[in-house]
Amino acid sequence: MKKIRFGLIGSGWRAEFYIRIAKAIPDQFELTSVLIRDKEKGEVFSKKFDVKVVNSIDELINDHPHYVVLSIKRGVVTDYLIDLFRRGIPVLCETPPGESKEALETLWDQYKKYDAKVQIAEQYFYQPLYASWLKVIEDGKLGELENINISSLHGYHGVSIIRKFFNIGFDNCVIYGKRFHFNLTETYGRGGIVHDGEITSCPRDRLTLEFDQGKVAFFDFSDPAQYHSFIRTRQLTIQGVRGEIDDLTVRYLTDENIPVTQNLNRIDYGLYNNQEWAHAGIMLGEEYVYKNPFQYTRLNDDEIAVATCMLKMDEYLKTGKEFYTLQDALQDMYISLMMDEALKNPNQEIKTSKRSWT
């Protein structure tokens, strides 16, 4: 199998995912170089991660990557994307692609102008659990979906799952809700486990999104508690006319209208005397609803999802098959911005409208 060669722009926490993936699956991925404009910072980064660091886009491209991964701060991502569009460089961009409605519109205009090759690394629906939920939905077990309650992902990530699960395209919606604040004892962060018992006030956003087709999403998220806490978890409920997903439990009717209740069962190697250590897949009853495409590789769920985006990007360049388009990313970020607007105006209805990319 020919290796997928990619360059990387960025040196933050998220960019490190791509380095770990390349090192974990060297027979599939090859990191050509990392662009860090600050020379001193780049030298430190190069030694820390044992990667080649360059200081300009020209140097990055001279290493002949098949595509470039853009993983930088939100405030400058639009300018970088447009520069890559102008140069004709295929790009896999971390979300979000912009942070204002004006930036989103500009980006779409530039994308059309240069006929750019771009996909967005919105990875959550490739995570094992989300992929399993999606497979249950696509198999038709729940019938027509009518409402979803999601309490696991913030902003545009949550919106992407809502739109993907509902399969509603670019439907407009009415949004209303409110932000609350609740105290929480710190237990975990990006730096590891915390034992000092510090209590902080965490915002909790509760929003309702009513789409034109009549489908309703109830959005509930506490940031950053639900990403980094041992005493807060994620929750998901999806209800269709013939069944529901209640987190890890799936209830549905057979063709003979016999009610069935089954649980999603995660299969991992390396547990209880097994010598491997990796994720295998997720089963519902006797069938796999998800199989890890990187069997026996030591990746966490988010790394599996990001690596899947990297594979999909290679397929897109070879076949033209898209997996998460710029249009979808712009729409998800636009709705997320309108959700922010709704939070600034508690319990007032905010209506989305058609945009240039729709």
Side-chain angles (χ1 to χ4, degrees):
M1 180 180 178
K2 188 176 180 181
K3 289 185 180 182
I4 298 169
R5 292 168 50 84
F6 70 98
L8 176 62
I9 302 177
S11 58
W13 177 80
R14 198 67 196 171
E16 293 176 12
F17 277 64
Y18 295 90
I19 297 173
R20 291 196 298 270
I21 290 166
K23 291 181 180 296
I25 322 175
D27 59 325
Q28 288 186 269
F29 299 108
E30 180 182 352
L31 174 59
T32 56
S33 53
V34 182
L35 170 58
I36 301 175
R37 294 195 181 277
D38 186 301
K39 189 172 182 179
E40 291 185 3
K41 181 180 177 181
E43 289 174 352
V44 172
F45 191 90
S46 177
K47 291 178 181 178
K48 180 179 179 180
F49 294 100
D50 189 25
V51 295
K52 179 181 179 180
V53 171
V54 297
N55 307 122
S56 69
I57 291 182
D58 288 337
E59 291 177 278
L60 188 76
I61 300 311
N62 284 341
D63 287 326
H64 305 292
H66 299 147
Y67 61 82
V68 167
V69 172
L70 183 61
S71 181
I72 57 176
K73 294 180 180 179
R74 292 175 58 168
V76 293
V77 67
T78 302
D79 292 339
Y80 265 90
L81 268 176
I82 293 172
D83 189 18
L84 293 168
F85 289 174
R86 288 176 182 147
R87 294 168 180 263
I89 300 168
V91 55
L92 175 62
C93 179
E94 275 282 330
T95 50
E99 58 177 6
S100 69
K101 286 185 281 188
E102 294 74 22
L104 301 182
E105 296 284 357
T106 298
L107 189 56
W108 180 247
D109 290 340
Q110 295 297 305
Y111 164 78
K112 291 189 297 180
K113 177 179 178 180
Y114 293 104
D115 191 24
K117 294 287 187 182
V118 60
Q119 294 289 283
I120 309 300
E122 178 55 48
Q123 80 279 11
Y124 278 100
F125 53 87
Y126 290 130
Q127 278 196 8
L129 182 55
Y130 291 93
S132 299
W133 284 330
L134 182 58
K135 181 65 163 59
V136 171
I137 292 168
E138 291 177 341
D139 285 348
K141 284 184 167 62
L142 310 186
E144 182 69 21
L145 299 191
E146 295 195 327
N147 69 83
I148 178 173
N149 187 92
I150 182 169
S151 181
S152 60
L153 302 170
H154 79 277
Y156 47 88
H157 292 310
V159 175
S160 75
I161 291 296
I162 290 168
R163 290 181 57 245
K164 186 75 171 178
F165 284 9
F166 274 162
N167 191 27
I168 53 173
F170 300 98
D171 243 24
N172 284 318
C173 62
V174 174
I175 307 169
Y176 50 92
K178 186 178 180 180
R179 172 169 289 169
F180 301 85
H181 288 83
F182 301 104
N183 290 331
L184 176 68
T185 303
E186 295 283 357
T187 61
Y188 186 72
R190 287 185 177 180
I193 299 174
V194 177
H195 295 290
D196 59 14
E198 180 183 357
I199 296 175
T200 60
S201 178
C202 289
R204 184 168 183 175
D205 299 339
R206 298 291 297 268
L207 293 157
T208 300
L209 290 73
E210 298 185 20
F211 291 90
D212 286 350
Q213 291 184 27
K215 300 178 187 297
V216 179
F218 304 103
F219 176 91
D220 177 5
F221 189 74
S222 181
D223 188 17
Q226 287 182 273
Y227 285 141
H228 303 287
S229 177
F230 286 112
I231 56 174
R232 292 292 185 267
T233 187
R234 48 110 254 282
Q235 298 173 334
L236 181 95
T237 304
I238 308 169
Q239 294 182 329
V241 296
R242 295 188 61 80
E244 73 170 14
I245 294 172
D246 179 12
D247 209 33
L248 299 180
T249 301
V250 181
R251 301 178 179 90
Y252 62 95
L253 298 173
T254 68
D255 292 340
E256 294 76 27
N257 293 320
I258 297 172
V260 175
T261 300
Q262 294 179 318
N263 290 324
L264 293 169
N265 181 27
R266 184 183 177 99
I267 310 297
D268 291 309
Y269 305 115
L271 303 178
Y272 308 120
N273 206 39
N274 189 300
Q275 297 303 306
E276 295 87 7
W277 184 79
H279 176 57
I282 296 179
M283 300 186 73
L284 182 68
E286 298 179 351
E287 67 171 323
Y288 274 98
V289 288
Y290 174 80
K291 286 187 176 181
N292 182 4
F294 308 100
Q295 290 283 317
Y296 306 112
T297 301
R298 297 189 174 192
L299 300 175
N300 66 36
D301 284 12
D302 211 36
E303 291 166 345
I304 291 171
V306 171
T308 302
C309 289
M310 296 168 72
L311 280 184
K312 296 285 185 182
M313 182 65 184
D314 182 64
E315 181 184 11
Y316 160 69
L317 293 177
K318 290 176 178 175
T319 68
K321 182 180 179 181
E322 298 181 305
F323 64 93
Y324 189 81
T325 67
L326 180 62
Q327 282 178 289
D328 283 313
L330 295 175
Q331 184 70 5
D332 289 338
M333 188 58 193
Y334 166 60
I335 292 177
S336 179
L337 291 172
M338 299 301 281
M339 290 164 62
D340 291 339
E341 187 71 20
L343 291 171
K344 294 176 184 176
N345 299 276
N347 298 322
Q348 294 183 28
E349 292 188 352
I350 302 296
K351 183 83 166 73
T352 68
S353 59
K354 292 294 183 183
R355 315 307 297 180
S356 61
W357 56 82
T358 62

